[in-house]
Amino acid sequence: LEGNVEKGIIAIIEDVTDRVKREENYKKQIRSLKVLNDIQKSIFTLDREELFDKLFEGAIKISNAPFVYLFLIKDGNFLLKRSTKSVLDYSKDLESPSCILKKVLSERRTIYIPYTGETDIKCVNPVSNSVLAVPILGKEKVLGILVLESLERNSFKQDDILNLETLTMQAAIIFENIELLEALRESEARYRVLAEQSLTGVSLLQDN
């Protein structure tokens, strides 16, 4: 009888634990969908800094990762735009050929390492045990890289990866829209200057 009671208690505990896990996963998915919907609605209204904020904050909400880094890539250099932890103490590792940033940049794909102890790839934070790096892919180049790291092994799930890839895909569209608008504004400004100079020249000729 005591054995049956014990088994019954274990079954109840396992059932409750399973329900809690399902509820946590459900809440996480809802949170992820809200993040993706929010950035989608902002596709034509964000400026560059607001985009960085949305992308960075969204990555934290989706993954719950303790270490999150957002790098912009310009002229082959990695420019840190947002982070949960300073990288000044180990910035030399970013220049290493085995740095995960350089691997993502060269392969133009998401890289997930469940346990960094089984690879020679260097993380942004050297104490991390798992790392997920997601490129922000433009039409012709890698615009940036979102890096998420954890002290725990196997920290990121397939849903996390898919949601973060969707997030960076949306961010890439917004980023290129911003660059296009900025280029148009610069072109309009140059045209306006040329037009004013031409009118000034015509006026001087008429006066003479």
Side-chain angles (χ1 to χ4, degrees):
L1 183 60
E2 289 182 1
N4 291 333
V5 171
E6 185 177 342
K7 288 179 181 178
I9 292 173
I10 292 173
I12 290 171
I13 292 173
E14 289 177 346
D15 182 58
V16 170
T17 302
D18 187 51
R19 287 184 184 182
V20 169
K21 286 182 179 179
R22 287 202 304 268
E23 186 175 346
E24 287 176 351
N25 288 333
Y26 175 73
K27 288 180 178 178
K28 189 174 183 180
Q29 281 302 312
I30 293 296
R31 188 166 60 246
S32 298
L33 289 172
K34 286 181 178 178
V35 168
L36 298 176
N37 184 56
D38 184 40
I39 198 169
Q40 179 66 31
K41 289 191 296 185
S42 307
I43 196 165
F44 295 113
T45 60
L46 294 176
D47 63 25
R48 196 182 297 266
E49 292 303 315
E50 289 171 337
L51 172 60
F52 294 153
D53 287 338
K54 287 274 188 183
L55 181 55
F56 180 69
E57 292 165 6
I60 293 173
K61 289 178 181 178
I62 288 172
S63 67
N64 290 324
F67 309 127
V68 179
Y69 309 92
L70 173 58
F71 290 90
L72 192 65
I73 298 173
K74 189 171 184 179
D75 300 326
N77 297 313
F78 302 108
L79 307 178
L80 182 64
K81 306 306 293 185
R82 301 287 187 277
S83 71
T84 54
K85 183 177 174 62
S86 172
V87 298
L88 294 177
D89 295 337
Y90 39 85
S91 56
K92 289 182 179 178
D93 287 343
L94 301 182
E95 302 304 320
S96 168
S98 59
C99 175
I100 192 165
L101 293 172
K102 293 197 172 182
K103 188 170 180 63
V104 171
L105 182 59
S106 65
E107 297 186 12
R108 294 172 56 90
R109 67 178 180 87
T110 297
I111 295 177
Y112 174 39
I113 303 174
Y115 177 44
T116 57
E118 297 176 345
T119 177
D120 60 353
I121 293 178
K122 293 184 180 297
C123 299
V124 176
N125 187 337
V127 301
S128 297
N129 282 312
S130 60
V131 57
L132 172 63
V134 186
I136 305 169
L137 293 174
K139 292 179 181 178
E140 298 179 353
K141 61 182 179 179
V142 180
L143 304 171
I145 301 174
L146 188 63
V147 181
L148 305 99
E149 299 180 354
S150 175
L151 297 176
E152 298 179 7
R153 301 183 188 184
N154 304 299
S155 187
F156 305 103
K157 309 304 179 188
Q158 188 62 31
D159 285 343
D160 297 328
I161 297 172
L162 292 175
N163 286 328
L164 288 164
E165 285 180 334
T166 301
L167 180 67
T168 55
M169 193 163 45
Q170 292 175 333
I173 294 171
I174 298 172
F175 192 89
E176 291 192 322
N177 283 343
I178 292 171
E179 288 193 328
L180 179 61
L181 287 172
E182 289 177 348
L184 286 172
R185 291 192 187 104
E186 289 177 6
S187 179
E188 287 175 356
R190 286 196 299 269
Y191 177 79
R192 192 178 299 112
V193 170
L194 288 173
E196 290 173 355
Q197 290 174 345
S198 298
L199 289 172
T200 301
V202 170
S203 177
L204 289 172
L205 285 172
Q206 288 177 342
D207 290 343
N208 292 333

